[in-house]
Amino acid sequence: MKHAWDELDHYRGEYFSGQWPSIIDMLLITEHRFGNRPSFTVFNPERVTLTFSDVVANVRRVGSALAEAGVQQGDRVVINGKNSPEWAIAYLATLWAGGVVVPLDNQMQRDRVESLSSFVEASYLFGDKNIIEGLDASHTWYQNLKGRATLLGASEGIDSIGELRASKEIDHQRIDEHALAAILFTSGTTGAEKGAMLTHANIVSDVYQACDGMFLSLDETDVLYALLPLHHSYCCTAVLLEAIKHGSECVFGQEIVVSRMIGDLSRGKVTIFMGIPLLYNKLLAGLLKQVKKKGFATNALIHCLMAINGVFKKYLHINLFRPLFNKLLLSKVGLDHNHILICGAGPLSPKVFKQYQQLGLDFIQGYGLTETSPILTLNPVSKFKVESVGKVFPLVDMIIADEDEHGIGEIRVKGPNVTAGYYKDAVNTAALFDEEGYLKTGDLGYLDREQYLYLKGRAKNIIVTEGGKNVYPEQIEDLFQLYAQVEQILVRGYQEKADVPGEAIEAVVYPNSEYYSEHQVPIKEDLERIIAEVNHHLPLYEKITRLTIAEEAMDMTSTKKIKRGTVTI
């Protein structure tokens, strides 16, 4: 059986040695093949596009300047900014000089930026203007930077990445595939913030597995959209690096604002869009809301055509009404050029999945962790299972540990994309692996006979009822994805009876203010009605018995997951 990585045999010995190329080797292979094709594009507001040859020239220029400033192999370079071509050039230039990339969340508080930069002993820092101007230049770690801090954009009075020059440009550092490429800070699988160490082999092997066989099919004619934060491994690997591997164009989105996103999708003619459940739910709700406004007859007709198209697409592989949907609906949200939607950072509701399929759009759903570079499974278009988060990657060894009577247990993995541990953290590194060397994900699920994974939730979030039943709150939360009234929901256990150790189930809901400004109905009564609807589909032991309405939005991660530990309502 042929695999995606078999093509590396053509370049091994000339561009790299060993099993996997470094990330820079992968970039140079692509420049050799597709140098004149578009690579990085941004609309700001006019279109600016760099070819792969332009990208390599910029990476060489900045990487040479880093080396001349004193950045050596293994030195840590912090990048903290919004998505942009400059962010990607800083990332690649760091690797060109032999450094290690430390991408930080652009929404992170200043004191966390400073403490994490100090913790990794940063040699260099790239940042947006507000980041650099907010730092305390008197700190020792800042004083020790080689060249101080460099702006990702352009601004008077601050050195910018566009101005970095070396007296002499150098070739890239020849890096072993097992050398450290990035340190990604994450809450991890065992609690507090930790720096997952990822090598070039970890990341590149994940890129190649994602496009192997039945999984992700794309080529140099595709256009990908980097909307989610690039500091997160999900977007960095599955969009930026996947685009580089294939010679595809990458359009950079700078913020999750629907109007701007639709403009980017339309103007960029994006063919592969990667998002999160929250984003897909909002897009679908907006589309169907517009259809409903057309009146009962039009609404009924569109839903009838969707149902017919879904049947033809699923059983006959004919996308019968896609041209019509492109014209009437999908062009309104910039998805008329799209042929694959990718969903990650949480499972998408099967109902939402099905409705996109009926509109003629293919979904690929996946699962992974920062510690696994990040992807472990993908649900292939050619053989998807709606309830699953995908088939296990070919080089990943996945087991289910401590199974219960239903085959559900903790998901554990080995593979070339799995981290060796956390930076300067021997205790949490030891806790990350079991005695056989499998990484303990902290997630619960089960595998079917074809190695498709079905997620149940996080082990630490399980609710144990009075009757001893296990309830997985994430699965209940997913049932609310299609309700426009619910902006955020957190399902958790609470002690209903002081003398009974078992938990009852509570829903903490932050209502959608826009919805309730348009619909003058009592919020509490309306949410109780929705909970009753959801409860109707749940077994008795999973039913929600208490509603709490949050007055303020709950804190969320950069991929729009609620930070469960911070909710104190």
Side-chain angles (χ1 to χ4, degrees):
M1 179 180 176
K2 297 195 72 173
H3 292 288
W5 49 87
D6 290 341
E7 69 180 41
L8 292 173
D9 292 339
H10 299 297
Y11 306 100
R12 190 175 286 107
E14 180 180 0
Y15 284 87
F16 70 100
S17 58
Q19 183 178 7
W20 301 103
S22 71
I23 293 170
I24 293 299
D25 294 331
M26 187 172 69
L27 171 66
L28 293 175
I29 290 170
T30 296
E31 188 211 9
H32 168 73
R33 299 174 64 197
F34 305 114
N36 292 325
R37 289 197 62 83
S39 177
F40 296 167
T41 291
V42 67
F43 297 100
N44 196 24
E46 298 303 315
R47 182 187 184 112
V48 177
T49 297
L50 301 176
T51 66
F52 278 99
S53 291
D54 293 334
V55 168
V56 170
N58 278 281
V59 169
R60 181 190 299 274
R61 171 180 59 79
V62 177
S64 299
L66 291 179
E68 189 167 276
V71 174
Q72 300 176 9
Q73 186 168 332
D75 281 358
R76 277 73 61 201
V77 175
V78 169
I79 306 177
N80 192 356
K82 293 181 179 179
N83 291 6
S84 65
E86 290 79 13
W87 192 104
I89 287 168
Y91 179 100
L92 295 166
T94 298
L95 301 178
W96 186 279
V100 177
V101 182
V102 185
L104 298 182
D105 187 345
N106 186 243
Q107 301 300 313
M108 186 177 284
Q109 294 293 324
R110 187 194 74 179
D111 63 329
R112 294 302 299 144
V113 174
E114 292 179 333
S115 64
L116 292 177
S117 298
S118 178
F119 175 67
V120 299
E121 300 173 271
S123 293
Y124 209 96
L125 183 142
F126 290 98
D128 286 346
K129 184 178 180 182
N130 65 308
I131 299 295
I132 292 176
E133 290 184 339
L135 295 175
D136 185 349
S138 66
H139 275 201
T140 302
W141 75 269
Y142 190 94
Q143 292 293 320
N144 289 336
L145 291 178
K146 298 167 180 176
R148 298 296 181 263
T150 295
L151 195 67
L152 288 172
S155 179
E156 292 184 10
I158 306 176
D159 292 337
S160 72
I161 192 170
E163 299 166 340
L164 285 182
R165 294 282 190 283
S167 57
K168 182 180 180 182
E169 293 190 352
I170 62 168
D171 196 5
H172 70 290
Q173 285 280 344
R174 290 288 180 174
I175 296 293
D176 181 84
E177 63 191 287
H178 300 298
L180 197 57
I183 299 170
L184 302 183
F185 281 95
T186 170
S187 59
T189 63
T190 54
E193 197 172 52
K194 298 173 286 290
M197 299 185 292
L198 299 178
T199 66
H200 287 266
N202 289 155
I203 297 169
V204 172
S205 68
D206 204 59
V207 169
Y208 273 88
Q209 287 185 88
C211 60
D212 186 53
M214 67 171 69
F215 293 114
L216 186 60
S217 178
L218 65 155
D219 60 28
E220 70 276 11
T221 64
D222 279 302
V223 182
L224 288 78
Y225 186 39
L227 175 65
L228 300 180
L230 280 167
H231 79 268
H232 195 281
S233 60
Y234 177 36
C235 189
C236 190
T237 296
V239 178
L240 175 61
L241 298 180
E242 203 70 51
I244 288 174
K245 184 264 176 230
H246 289 280
S248 306
E249 185 176 1
C250 180
V251 175
F252 292 82
Q254 295 181 309
E255 51 190 341
I256 303 178
V257 174
V258 173
S259 58
R260 180 163 184 172
M261 178 189 76
I262 292 172
D264 286 346
L265 290 170
S266 299
R267 296 171 70 188
K269 298 182 178 179
V270 172
T271 63
I272 297 176
F273 176 41
M274 188 190 75
I276 54 178
L278 178 67
L279 195 55
Y280 287 124
N281 294 336
K282 285 184 176 292
L283 278 177
L284 182 64
L287 277 177
L288 298 183
K289 182 179 178 181
Q290 293 305 312
V291 170
K292 197 170 184 178
K293 283 182 178 179
K294 300 290 184 182
F296 175 80
T298 300
N299 188 42
L301 176 62
I302 291 294
H303 279 83
C304 181
L305 293 177
M306 286 172 61
I308 294 169
N309 197 60
V311 172
F312 270 74
K313 191 170 184 302
K314 182 174 181 179
Y315 296 105
L316 300 177
H317 305 292
I318 299 173
N319 213 343
L320 190 64
F321 296 125
R322 174 64 190 269
L324 178 64
F325 293 148
N326 277 347
K327 183 176 180 180
L328 295 180
L329 297 172
L330 300 179
S331 61
K332 311 299 184 188
V333 292
L335 294 178
D336 47 323
H337 294 280
N338 187 279
H339 62 262
I340 293 177
L341 298 172
I342 305 173
C343 186
L348 189 71
S349 164
K351 287 184 179 179
V352 177
F353 190 108
K354 183 178 179 181
Q355 286 181 297
Y356 274 107
Q357 291 278 339
Q358 290 177 337
L359 287 169
L361 294 165
D362 282 319
F363 248 108
I364 292 180
Q365 186 155 238
Y367 162 75
L369 314 169
T370 299
E371 291 88 343
T372 60
S373 304
I375 314 170
L376 291 166
T377 73
L378 282 177
N379 212 345
V381 169
S382 60
K383 197 179 178 183
F384 67 87
K385 298 185 180 183
V386 173
E387 303 286 343
S388 171
V389 290
K391 187 176 176 67
V392 180
F393 274 2
L395 299 179
V396 169
D397 177 12
M398 180 178 289
I399 63 170
I400 305 298
D402 304 323
E403 296 181 22
D404 64 13
E405 66 272 22
H406 303 294
I408 298 168
E410 185 184 27
I411 302 160
R412 298 184 181 180
V413 294
K414 288 181 180 180
N417 48 317
V418 175
T419 180
Y422 298 119
Y423 185 70
K424 293 200 297 190
D425 193 343
V427 173
N428 280 310
T429 295
L432 184 61
F433 298 94
D434 67 15
E435 60 278 3
E436 295 181 359
Y438 285 89
L439 182 144
K440 298 184 289 187
T441 68
D443 290 318
L444 298 172
Y446 67 92
L447 291 166
D448 68 14
R449 292 181 179 179
E450 294 183 287
Q451 287 293 99
Y452 280 75
L453 177 65
Y454 297 78
L455 274 186
K456 303 300 284 186
R458 294 288 291 170
K460 64 183 179 181
N461 298 336
I462 283 181
I463 301 167
V464 181
T465 68
E466 181 180 348
K469 294 282 191 180
N470 288 343
V471 175
Y472 305 98
E474 295 91 344
Q475 289 195 314
I476 300 175
E477 291 164 0
D478 290 343
L479 299 176
F480 288 85
Q481 287 189 20
L482 288 177
Y483 288 98
Q485 297 95 318
V486 178
E487 182 71 23
Q488 295 177 315
I489 182 166
L490 173 74
V491 173
R492 64 186 181 185
Y494 73 97
Q495 202 77 20
E496 187 176 33
K497 303 172 185 175
D499 58 340
V500 176
E503 295 176 294
I505 299 169
E506 174 188 28
V508 180
V509 176
Y510 178 62
N512 184 334
S513 58
E514 183 179 342
Y515 177 89
Y516 284 108
S517 66
E518 294 179 7
H519 302 77
Q520 297 300 315
V521 295
I523 295 176
K524 189 171 189 297
E525 289 180 18
D526 194 40
L527 292 176
E528 285 176 341
R529 177 187 60 79
I530 291 170
I531 286 173
E533 285 183 12
V534 170
N535 277 345
H536 181 70
H537 300 286
L538 294 171
L540 182 62
Y541 68 90
E542 289 188 350
K543 292 185 186 300
I544 296 167
T545 55
R546 186 167 83 181
L547 166 66
T548 298
I549 298 176
E551 295 182 1
E552 297 180 352
M554 291 172 268
D555 288 344
M556 303 185 83
T557 68
S558 59
T559 52
K560 304 305 178 185
K561 294 179 183 176
I562 293 172
K563 295 180 179 178
R564 305 182 89 90
T566 66
V567 179
T568 57
I569 300 168

